């Protein structure tokens, strides 16, 4: 899935399986049972280089942009880690990655 779009800064695809599995394990550690991703199968596909955001593939072509907290136990509030779910990688790119890239490019 990660090679079907042109990645724009600050996002980059994850190709290292050790990194992928480590971040996936960390996400499962962070999310409380009431979190929107608690019963989802996730696969890390990209990270944001300037923050703790990560992009995960979900079932049915959906993706989740998650602001990781790096806590060593489940969060106590169900809205953490902050998560936005998109129906497709293309929708995420159009609504999140591209606008962010343009915003950051204008700051330079």
């Amino acid at each position: 899935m990660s090679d079907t779009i042109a990645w724009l800064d600050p996002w980059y695809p994850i190709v290292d399986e050790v990194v992928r599995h480590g971040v996936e394990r960390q996400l499962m550690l962070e999310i409380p049972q009431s979190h929107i991703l608690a019963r989802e199968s996730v696969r890390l596909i990209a990270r944001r280089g300037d923050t703790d955001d990560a992009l995960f593939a979900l079932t049915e072509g959906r993706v989740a942009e998650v602001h990781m907290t790096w806590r060593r136990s489940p969060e106590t509030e169900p809205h953490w880690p902050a998560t936005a779910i998109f129906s497709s990688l293309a929708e995420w790119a159009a609504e999140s990655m591209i606008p962010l890239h343009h915003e950051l490019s204008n700051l330079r």
Side-chain angles (χ1 to χ4, degrees):
M1 177 184 280
S2 63
D3 49 68
T4 61
I5 67 166
W7 295 99
L8 301 174
D9 286 337
W11 287 94
Y12 61 93
I14 300 299
V15 294
D16 186 317
E17 289 298 316
V18 173
V19 171
R20 174 175 284 122
H21 293 302
V23 175
E24 290 168 358
R25 277 192 306 274
Q26 177 61 36
L27 177 64
M28 292 299 107
L29 182 65
E30 292 179 18
I31 59 174
Q33 289 184 355
S34 56
H35 192 273
I36 193 168
L37 295 177
R39 285 163 283 294
E40 289 280 351
S41 173
V42 300
R43 179 169 171 78
L44 179 68
I45 56 175
R47 295 282 314 268
R48 188 173 157 178
D50 62 341
T51 66
D52 290 326
D53 291 4
L55 187 68
F56 295 90
L58 307 175
T59 59
E60 301 171 1
R62 299 171 302 138
V63 297
E65 183 176 332
V66 180
H67 182 74
M68 306 285 293
T69 63
W70 297 98
R71 189 176 164 137
R72 294 187 173 151
S73 61
E75 291 291 338
T76 57
E77 298 292 327
H79 59 272
W80 287 106
T83 302
I85 295 181
F86 299 86
S87 64
S88 67
L89 187 60
E91 180 186 63
W92 169 80
E95 293 184 14
S96 184
M97 181 180 67
I98 293 170
L100 173 68
H101 178 75
H102 289 307
E103 178 184 331
L104 295 176
S105 295
N106 289 334
L107 294 176
R108 296 181 189 150

